[in-house]
Amino acid sequence: MSMNVRQNAIGLLTTPNKHSPLAVHNAIIDLRRNPKAGDEHLLRKYLDYPDDMVVSAVLYALIHIYESVPDLKELLLRFADGDDRDNGEMPIQTQAIEGLASYSREDASALSKLLEVASNSDTAEAPRARAWKCIAELFGVPWQREYSDAMIWDPESEKSISIRKEVLSAVEARDGKPLIA
């Protein structure tokens, strides 16, 4: 059954202009659920697709499903600053931030970008909160659901400021060195 789903997904992805963005998104999900080495070459061209959910799904696949994707970190660094196609909860930027977190334990530039995005008040609320959550996890600060809510719905509240201070204190206490996974 999964081979049939896979073949249908590949067929759809070779003619994306004949299908809706939702159908393309679902094909990417089907492909990543039935992956094979080399799929990443097909998926990479969808990083230029006009729909934010499609691009986000591709980033997720490249981060979590496929191994040794060339220049993935550079792609994540670029998308972590935001993308014109993003809207709503900013799925492209948020996915890039999550991907950078996996590099941040061993790569100073990835951690630096996370801190930059999190500290920038011009960053949209959802990806900014996600960046703070990722940094908290990297430095052993327990994160509660209500923290994300506070940072998204009222980023300048006393609670949000307190959360940021707690996370930055943990970064400082560890001299900018994340916990080992």
Side-chain angles (χ1 to χ4, degrees):
M1 174 73 146
S2 66
M3 199 53 143
N4 206 14
V5 170
R6 179 179 165 70
Q7 292 306 330
N8 289 340
I10 290 171
L12 190 145
L13 292 173
T14 58
T15 59
N17 294 336
K18 294 181 179 181
H19 305 281
S20 70
L22 179 60
V24 172
H25 174 268
N26 290 343
I28 290 168
I29 303 296
D30 288 343
L31 191 63
R32 79 179 190 208
R33 288 180 179 157
N34 301 282
K36 286 194 177 182
D39 290 347
E40 56 273 28
H41 299 293
L42 174 62
L43 293 175
R44 283 183 75 93
K45 69 181 178 182
Y46 285 92
L47 291 172
D48 295 324
Y49 195 80
D51 183 79
D52 60 345
M53 292 305 293
V54 168
V55 177
S56 176
V58 170
L59 286 174
Y60 181 92
L62 295 176
I63 294 163
H64 298 288
I65 307 299
Y66 302 97
E67 295 183 22
S68 303
V69 175
D71 76 336
L72 179 58
K73 184 184 80 171
E74 289 73 22
L75 287 168
L76 297 174
L77 287 167
R78 186 181 90 212
F79 285 126
D81 284 325
D83 189 276
D84 291 339
R85 296 167 289 184
D86 252 340
N87 61 60
E89 292 187 12
M90 312 297 278
I92 297 171
Q93 186 176 21
T94 301
Q95 193 62 247
I97 288 165
E98 287 180 9
L100 279 179
S102 64
Y103 284 95
S104 292
R105 293 194 193 282
E106 298 175 4
D107 187 290
S109 66
L111 179 58
S112 177
K113 179 57 78 175
L114 278 180
L115 287 164
E116 176 188 322
V117 169
S119 299
N120 185 346
S121 61
D122 290 335
T123 301
E125 289 82 3
R128 186 173 184 210
R130 187 64 55 95
W132 282 112
K133 180 182 183 209
C134 290
I135 296 165
E137 290 170 351
L138 289 164
F139 288 89
V141 176
W143 193 266
Q144 298 172 19
R145 166 98 175 125
E146 65 195 47
Y147 290 2
S148 294
D149 292 343
M151 295 188 92
I152 290 170
W153 296 111
D154 195 358
E156 297 310 318
S157 68
E158 285 184 34
K159 180 152 187 100
S160 294
I161 292 168
S162 171
I163 294 164
R164 289 194 296 270
K165 284 181 181 177
E166 180 182 0
V167 172
L168 289 174
S169 291
V171 172
E172 187 177 312
R174 295 198 44 81
D175 199 28
K177 308 270 188 272
L179 298 170
I180 303 299

